[in-house]
Each structure stands twice: as C-alpha cells, then as structure tokens.
Amino acid sequence: MSGARNPPRAPGTRLDARGLLCPLPVIRTQDKIRTLKSGEVLEVVATDPGVLHDIPAWCRVHGHRLLMSEQRNDGFRFHIEVA
Amino acid sequence: MEMHDKKANLPRRAAALISGGLDSMLAAKVVLDQGVDVEGVNFFTGFCVEGHTHAIRKKDRSRQKRNNALWVAEQLGIKLHIVDVIDEYKDIVLNPKHGYGANLNPCLDCKIFMVNKALTQDVLDRGFDFVITGEVIGQRPKSQRADTMPVIARESGAGDRLLRPLCALNLPPTLPEREGWVDRDKLFGFHGRDRKPQMALAESFGFSDYAQPAGGCCFLTDERYAGKLADLWQSRGVRDYDFDDIMLLKVGRHIRPAPHYKLIVGREEGENNFLSGYRWRFVYLDTVSHTGPLTLVDGEPTDADLVLAARIAARYSQGRSASEVSVNVHHPSGARRELRVAPLLPTELEPAWHVGG
C-alpha cells in the first residue's frame, strides 16, 4: 500500500503494541491517535495477526489513512496518517 | 442534559452499544435510517469471547479474525469507539449489586454500567443526546426482562434517554420518541427468545453475514470459565483478579492436585506459545524426551508437588505410554533441573483435580 495523493510521510510517533492481543492493539492505537493532530503519522508495531484485519478496519471507520502495512521479523508494522 | 437544543439544524446524536452481534447492529441501523447521527461504542472488559481467543489457539487461526464490532461499524458506515474498561469492570464482576446470572455473569449490572459509560463517554469531543441498545424484552433471563428494563434506564442515569428500538413499542415512549428525534412508528415491538423477527429485519436491510455467537459474547456466562474463576478466588482467599489471571483462565487445562497450587497445561502449540509468555512469572515445565505441553505452575509447590506436576505434564505428552519421560522444571530465577518421571496413569488423575469440570 502506498500513498497516491501525497508523498509518504515519516511517522513522528511510534506505538509498540507487541505482545498485546486484539482488540488491545486497536484500543492503544485509538488512544494514541486521539493525542495526535490531523496529518501526523503514527507507526504501530504489533504481533497479533488479528491486527491485519482490525487496524485497517478501524482506520476505515474513522477515516484515517493507512499509508503502509508490512510484516517484518518483529511483527506487523503500520503507518497511519491521522484524519 | 441540554446538548444540542440550540443547534436545531444539526442531527441528534446517539451512542449505540455495539457488541458485534445482530441485535445491536439492527438497533443502530433502525435509528441511523431515521437521520440520527449514530456512533458505536464497544467495551472491552477482558472477558470478551472475541479477539483474544482467536489469536491464542492454533486451531482457531484459520477462522475469520475480524472484530465483529468493527465489522458492524463498517457495514453501518458509523464510527466505532472501542473502550478499555478492564479495570473499572472489576467492580462489576466482584460486587454486582443485582447479583449473578446462572454463572458469574453480572448481566444486569453490566448493562447498567455500559449504558452509563456510553452516555458519559468522556473520550469523545461531543456528548450524545441518547443511547441505543439492541435489548429485546424476554430475550435474556437476567437482564432483558420487562421488570429490568426500567432498572437499567434508571440506574445507568440515562432515564428516558435510553432507546431500545427493537422493543420500543412494548415500552413507554422515551425522550427521543416524544421529542420527535425518532419516529416511534418506525420502531419495533419484538419480545421473547424467538429470533425470527430479527432475522427478517436483517434480511430487509440486506444483512446476511452477521455474527451469531452461540454461547454469547462473555466468558462469565460460561460454566467452566466461571468455575475456574471461582477456584482462583477460593485458592487465593480473596475475590480479586488481574488481567493476566483472566487471560490465563481462557487457556489450557487447569488441574489442581492440591489447594496450594494448580497446573495450567497447554493443549496445543498455540496455547503453549501463549503460556510461554508467562515464564517470567511462574515455575514452568516442559518435556524434554518427548514432545509435550508447556505447563505453568501457579502457587507454591513443594519439591514433591513438582514431581507430581512433572508426571501430569508427562501424561499429556507424546510419552504418555513410555516408562519414563524427562521433564525440565524451570524457575523464574532461571534455575532449571531435570526430572525423570513415570507419566501419571489416567486412573491416577483424579477427576476432581480438573478445575471448572
């Protein structure tokens, strides 16, 4: 996934949700994003495979833009631009 | 509460309790279709059947991992706020004013708590004019009865700002109905345990792929789980728990050979992996000579207890028929020793040791 409208932005904040099982990574993401401003980018790293569905779904229902998602050795990584 | 009376041109706002099941989905949809600005609220108590359990057991990993509450929100096109109430919810579980249902399910107190939390959500920028639930009179023996409906409205603080669109016609008109925020004629009079009216309404909305959890959405309604929680309280001499406690009750075989310790034996690879995350907190055993479970020991076992624990772990290993199985006993300090034990015979494993039946 890549940002087609604007160049991808580097995340300014990182959330480590590794070891948490869903829905806790989504809840922590939601709580963190509440502290950020529109346009800021959050990086989330999580290990529960459930996030592959839940974080994109949560972004869609709230209108946040999922800039990137990938699987790495330390878990699943997402970049989310705050709506 | 006067939130939007001066903003007559703005739609009224309602918080819909969204469990991920059909009834709350329908209730939200009925009100949404009347032009009300609806947002969903979903509470994570720690006892929710969804989510965690899908991730733990390997056999469940092939299942759809979607969060049903999020899925419902997407179908309805509404926002969903998932709220962590793990800590606050303890008081509901430990001290339910209205008591428990068939097991340790404090359903009435739970509903009162959730309606109140939805109405007073302080995480949202704007308040809500009213709350929507998918309750249906007569559907749940503890919390969804004609005599409990006003109790929930009153004790939650919502009063007549609590609207149950699926059974509203069986109840006095609420504020949203009296004020014309919603049209009472477009609400329903469902009652009882018959699901056909809901299924017909779902069909009329074009919903076909909705969740139908057979055992409800809360572990506290589960007899075996409730038995394990009661055992936890009894063994510790105090009615309390933390998040790890209630997570571990969802996983493995729980075997208590004596009051001062119990074993949590992984039943498959996924559970073993999950239990291994607790190695820092418990003495644990793993079988060396044969493939077998990871076993946590909760309590204060003696050396003799650990021998019995090793024999039980061996009984659930691939070496169950062998004359001897090697089992490593690990302590949180990092110390480790190997025991060579005879697997426990099935006849030696007392049925009463199985916690929760």
Side-chain angles (χ1 to χ4, degrees), chain B residues 219-296:
Chain B
F219 267 109
L220 292 169
T221 63
D222 181 86
E223 183 179 359
R224 299 184 71 168
Y225 186 89
K228 286 187 254 186
L229 183 57
D231 169 80
L232 181 88
W233 291 342
Q234 185 175 23
S235 67
R236 294 184 182 171
V238 58
R239 295 174 84 254
D240 198 3
Y241 63 81
D242 63 26
F243 184 62
D244 286 335
D245 290 330
I246 60 177
M247 286 302 300
L248 285 169
L249 294 182
K250 298 175 183 177
V251 179
R253 293 182 177 87
H254 289 237
I255 298 171
R256 185 179 292 286
H260 59 281
Y261 77 103
K262 78 168 177 181
L263 312 180
I264 306 173
V265 186
R267 290 174 291 190
E268 41 90 286
E269 184 184 345
E271 290 195 340
N272 289 341
N273 290 336
F274 179 78
L275 293 173
S276 72
Y278 288 87
R279 287 175 297 179
W280 55 271
R281 180 170 160 178
F282 297 94
V283 172
Y284 76 93
L285 293 77
D286 60 357
T287 53
V288 180
S289 57
H290 300 78
T291 301
L294 189 140
T295 302
L296 300 183

Side-chain angles (χ1 to χ4, degrees), chain B residues 308-356:
Chain B
L308 177 58
R311 293 189 65 205
I312 292 171
R315 186 251 173 288
Y316 288 108
S317 77
Q318 294 298 316
R320 64 177 65 89
S321 302
S323 59
E324 185 178 86
V325 172
S326 296
V327 180
N328 272 340
V329 180
H330 305 257
H331 292 264
S333 64
R336 183 185 74 186
R337 69 184 172 119
E338 184 176 327
L339 298 175
R340 294 176 181 276
V341 298
L344 206 69
L345 298 172
T347 53
E348 295 177 295
L349 191 63
E350 299 285 344
W353 293 356
H354 286 281
V355 180

Side-chain angles (χ1 to χ4, degrees), chain A residues 19-28 30-31 34 47-63, chain B residues 42 44 50-53 55-56 61 64-67 70-71 73-74 78-84 86 123-124 243 247 274:
Chain A
L20 299 178
L21 300 180
C22 286
L24 287 172
V26 178
I27 293 174
R28 299 291 178 261
Q30 172 186 267
D31 293 346
R34 207 167 272 139
T47 45
D48 179 356
V51 296
L52 286 171
H53 181 276
D54 289 0
I55 286 186
W58 183 83
C59 288
R60 287 194 296 273
V61 304
H62 287 273
Chain B
N42 174 262
F44 181 61
E50 284 197 51
H52 288 86
T53 42
I56 296 170
R61 291 195 172 181
Q64 173 63 267
K65 290 182 184 64
R66 79 181 184 201
N67 177 304
L70 272 172
W71 181 83
E74 273 205 278
I78 63 173
K79 290 184 176 178
L80 180 77
H81 308 276
I82 308 177
V83 186
D84 174 354
I86 294 166
V123 295
L124 303 173
F243 184 62
M247 286 302 300
F274 179 78

